Amino acid sequence: MRYYHLSVEGSDGTHLVAETNDGEAYDLTSASEDLGSFTALARAANATEQTLDDVAAARIPDADSVDPGRLAAEADQPVRAEEVWASGVTYEISEQAREEESGKPEVYLDVYESERPELFLKATPSRTVGPNEPIGVRGDSTWDVPEPELAVVIHRGDVVGYTVGNDVSSRSIEGENPLYLPQAKVFERCCSIGPCVASPGTVGDPHELTLSMRIARDGDVVYEDETTTGEMVHSCDELVDYLGRHNVLPETAVLLTGTGLVPDDFTLQDGDEITIDVENVGELTNGTVTV
């Protein structure tokens, strides 16, 4: 199943909505107030030693139906992660691009060929946006790109699902010096996730997924390409394992697994529309605004 957060008329906040594999949608919160969020669903699955989908399926008979057409247009952030982390240089093209932008290229090759991955804190809840909200680009940067990524949703240290992530980055700031990485990565609206969390049973093998990105400007497509998560040098489980080493994670966290698509000779502008699609997970669309 896929899990969304949607606003419901007459209620405060959002409700948790499950989309079944046959395309039907159900308001799980209407069946149980205890299932008011994705984290609540993960907590219930953990307590009962069931899968997310098993818990949801048991509640669907008592849940209100939802028009599936609302999911793409009205979805909010699918999970309120207390921390969003990111992985760097997990695809060869990312390693090559960061070598090209940097005056110290050897550090990126060292990371790509090393057992230990690059992991960094990407965003807090206040810096993360959901589908159909504008991502931000820094006003003091001259070269800014979206980075489409498969994102792992972690609950109490375990992988419980997958979503789509956009790790918006300033290549000009990071290129000046690798130590500027936090400023190149962490700023207002620097990350988007959504539109849903897809369960492991729905996704299948996370390393056999097609990942694509399309960027439109003034109605014209200015970039379009795709890759596969099979090109990742580290597996999702390896990245999650390293993230949890000697590091106490919050109850729910999201880990972006790195980008395999890097637009050449391109920088984001106000009004650009970025659409990222990850096979079996979903399609995330965001506009762009300077912050």
Side-chain angles (χ1 to χ4, degrees):
M1 296 188 195
R2 296 179 179 85
Y3 300 95
Y4 297 78
H5 281 181
L6 286 182
S7 296
V8 174
E9 186 176 354
S11 67
D12 295 330
T14 59
H15 282 205
L16 181 66
V17 174
E19 181 188 28
T20 64
N21 291 336
D22 60 5
E24 299 296 322
Y26 299 92
D27 180 355
L28 297 181
T29 308
S30 71
S32 172
E33 292 183 357
D34 291 335
L35 298 179
S37 68
F38 180 82
T39 293
L41 176 65
R43 195 177 293 152
N46 185 69
T48 58
E49 298 184 342
Q50 299 181 82
T51 68
L52 300 173
D53 293 347
D54 288 340
V55 174
R59 288 298 185 178
I60 281 177
D62 300 319
D64 295 338
S65 295
V66 175
D67 177 5
R70 296 182 56 201
L71 301 179
E74 301 178 27
D76 197 357
Q77 287 184 50
V79 57
R80 297 290 179 176
E82 298 167 67
E83 296 173 357
V84 178
W85 291 76
S87 316
V89 202
T90 56
Y91 290 78
E92 185 176 9
I93 189 173
S94 178
E95 181 269 321
Q96 292 171 347
R98 289 171 76 175
E99 277 196 23
E100 291 172 3
E101 78 189 17
S102 176
K104 300 174 177 61
E106 64 279 357
V107 300
Y108 298 110
L109 181 60
D110 288 345
V111 168
Y112 182 72
E113 295 180 343
S114 296
E115 179 180 348
R116 181 183 293 275
E118 178 192 13
L119 299 172
F120 54 91
L121 185 64
K122 170 62 184 178
T124 55
S126 65
R127 295 177 174 88
T128 306
V129 301
N132 304 312
E133 297 183 80
I135 55 168
V137 295
R138 292 183 63 117
D140 60 353
S141 174
T142 59
W143 187 9
D144 303 276
V145 296
E147 296 189 3
E149 309 191 14
L150 173 68
V152 179
V153 181
I154 306 165
H155 182 258
R156 293 180 177 167
D158 294 325
V159 176
V160 293
Y162 302 88
T163 188
V164 184
N166 188 345
D167 171 17
V168 191
S169 304
S170 166
R171 294 184 67 182
S172 60
I173 291 176
E174 185 182 1
E176 290 179 37
N177 191 307
L179 295 181
Y180 294 161
L181 178 71
Q183 296 173 78
K185 293 288 189 178
V186 184
F187 47 89
E188 185 180 356
R189 298 179 174 271
C190 64
C191 179
S192 64
I193 59 172
C196 61
V197 176
S199 67
T202 296
V203 171
D205 187 343
H207 307 105
E208 293 184 353
L209 307 176
T210 299
L211 186 154
S212 64
M213 180 169 67
R214 181 178 68 256
I215 304 173
R217 178 174 295 162
D218 299 325
D220 296 324
V221 175
V222 294
Y223 175 86
E224 189 168 23
D225 203 355
E226 68 177 36
T227 187
T228 171
T229 56
E231 297 295 324
M232 291 170 58
V233 71
H234 294 287
S235 70
C236 293
D237 286 342
E238 287 175 331
L239 295 174
V240 171
D241 174 68
Y242 267 96
L243 180 63
R245 293 186 184 186
H246 313 284
N247 181 28
V248 179
L249 295 173
E251 181 179 7
T252 304
V254 169
L255 173 61
L256 309 181
T257 61
T259 187
L261 295 174
V262 181
D264 291 326
D265 301 321
F266 173 88
T267 188
L268 286 167
Q269 297 180 8
D270 279 9
D272 286 353
E273 183 177 86
I274 303 99
T275 300
I276 300 168
D277 184 272
V278 179
E279 183 182 8
N280 295 345
V281 180
E283 185 177 89
L284 173 64
T285 299
N286 298 97
T288 309
V289 65
T290 299
V291 296

